[in-house]
Amino acid sequence: MSTTAILESLQSAIIDGDEQKAPQFVQTALADKLDAQTILEKGLLAGMAVVGQRFRDGDYFLPEVLISAEAMKAAMTVLSPMLKAQNVKARATAVVGTVRGDLHDIGKNLVAIMLEGAGFEVIDLGVDVPPEKFAQACRDRKVDLVAMSALLTTTMPEMESAIRMLQRELPNPPPVIIGGAPVTQQYADRIGAAGYGRDAASGAEVARGLCAKAG
Ligand code: B1M
């Protein structure tokens, strides 16, 4: 199979929500020596972009989107060890979560993988995380960074609420980085986030930079 054919098969497996084939094609791609980042971006994320487009156009409904998300997760179980292995070890703790009211976790999971790959110990609070839970996690442990994800325009303001709560309740609030499809650098600046990641890899890079600066 050519590289293009493997990546197209991977995209189709995500678009069709084929939970069996998606991880198999990741295996095929790895066996063919494709690098993990290419498999992620040109296979899995390219497939997910088509799913999003079809949902927007009314060709897909929630059940189809959910099935594609499951195929994506199955594929990620094979790919995530490779993504982590590509990076070097460092030394800091990050709390990660999708904000209150938001159940999207694929991007957040990718951020967690990339942060681990960048050497962070990751405490993943999951989805639908209220501001209090972010604050509590920072009280329970010495946390160097908080990473928040939001996929809905309606849940973005929860990022600001969580930042305000950390500032109010913690003597030394850790820096917060934010990301997610509707989030922008301008929004991050406006709500006082320390950093913004356009994608999971650049989020991890920003996180490393912030923690290196903090010493
Ligand atoms: Co939802 N959904 N969804 N959905 N869904 C979107 C986000 C939407 C854009 C679809 C659309 O209309 N085209 C739309 C939002 C519109 C808006 O607000 N502007 C939408 C909607 C409306 C909804 C519901 C309200 C639908 C409904 O019920 N009527 C509902 C809301 C539920 C809720 O959260 N309360 C809903 C539900 C769902 C499912 C449950 C079916 C499912 C989620 C399953 C799951 O996550 N386990 C789902 C999915 C899968 C999507 C789409 C199709 C794909 C999202 C995804 O996983 N993308 C999405 C359309 C789209 O985005 N194209 C859509 C792949 C993922 C890797 O990308 O999460 O963007 P993403 O992460 C990226 C970057 O954003 C970045 O890194 C990643 C890439 O490396 N990133 C960060 C993310 N977080 C970061 C944090 C960082 C740094 C970078 O630093 C901390």
Side-chain angles (χ1 to χ4, degrees):
M1 236 174 157
S2 71
T3 298
T4 313
I6 296 172
L7 291 172
E8 280 174 2
S9 305
L10 199 44
Q11 287 171 24
S12 301
I14 298 297
I15 295 164
D16 299 340
D18 194 325
E19 219 177 312
Q20 250 82 52
K21 284 199 185 135
Q24 281 168 16
F25 284 126
V26 173
Q27 299 274 25
T28 310
L30 289 169
D32 221 57
K33 302 273 182 280
L34 262 75
D35 76 287
Q37 200 64 37
T38 304
I39 298 171
L40 176 66
E41 281 169 17
K42 304 220 164 113
L44 302 179
L45 294 184
M48 211 53 180
V50 174
V51 174
Q53 188 58 50
R54 289 190 183 175
F55 185 51
R56 227 178 348 259
D57 294 345
D59 296 330
Y60 267 22
F61 296 95
L62 277 182
E64 281 112 334
V65 178
L66 207 45
I67 291 167
S68 289
E70 290 307 317
M72 173 94 184
K73 283 186 182 175
M76 284 308 294
T77 57
V78 181
L79 194 60
S80 40
M82 308 302 150
L83 286 168
K84 287 177 200 167
Q86 280 186 351
N87 287 293
V88 280
K89 287 278 156 221
R91 38 38 304 228
T93 302
V95 161
V96 175
T98 301
V99 296
R100 180 161 59 193
D102 200 321
L103 303 176
H104 295 86
D105 70 353
I106 297 174
K108 183 267 297 168
N109 293 343
L110 267 179
V111 172
I113 290 166
M114 292 300 181
L115 284 173
E116 279 179 6
F120 284 82
E121 185 192 342
V122 171
I123 301 167
D124 189 343
L125 302 180
V127 296
D128 193 15
V129 180
E132 304 78 42
K133 201 164 164 192
F134 282 112
Q136 190 55 49
C138 296
R139 273 191 223 100
D140 291 345
R141 289 276 304 269
K142 188 193 166 304
V143 169
D144 303 290
L145 179 97
V146 175
M148 297 177 193
S149 182
L151 263 285
L152 300 170
T153 43
T154 48
T155 57
M156 280 166 70
E158 288 293 339
M159 294 175 147
E160 184 170 16
S161 305
I163 289 175
R164 295 290 162 263
M165 177 162 281
L166 296 181
Q167 289 168 339
R168 231 180 14 250
E169 304 228 336
L170 303 174
N172 289 308
V176 175
I177 64 163
I178 63 170
V183 179
T184 59
Q185 179 69 58
Q186 286 88 327
Y187 185 70
D189 294 341
R190 210 179 83 210
I191 66 169
Y196 158 73
R198 192 179 42 80
D199 54 35
S202 57
E205 202 124 298
V206 171
R208 270 177 85 107
L210 284 168
C211 289
K213 251 191 257 165

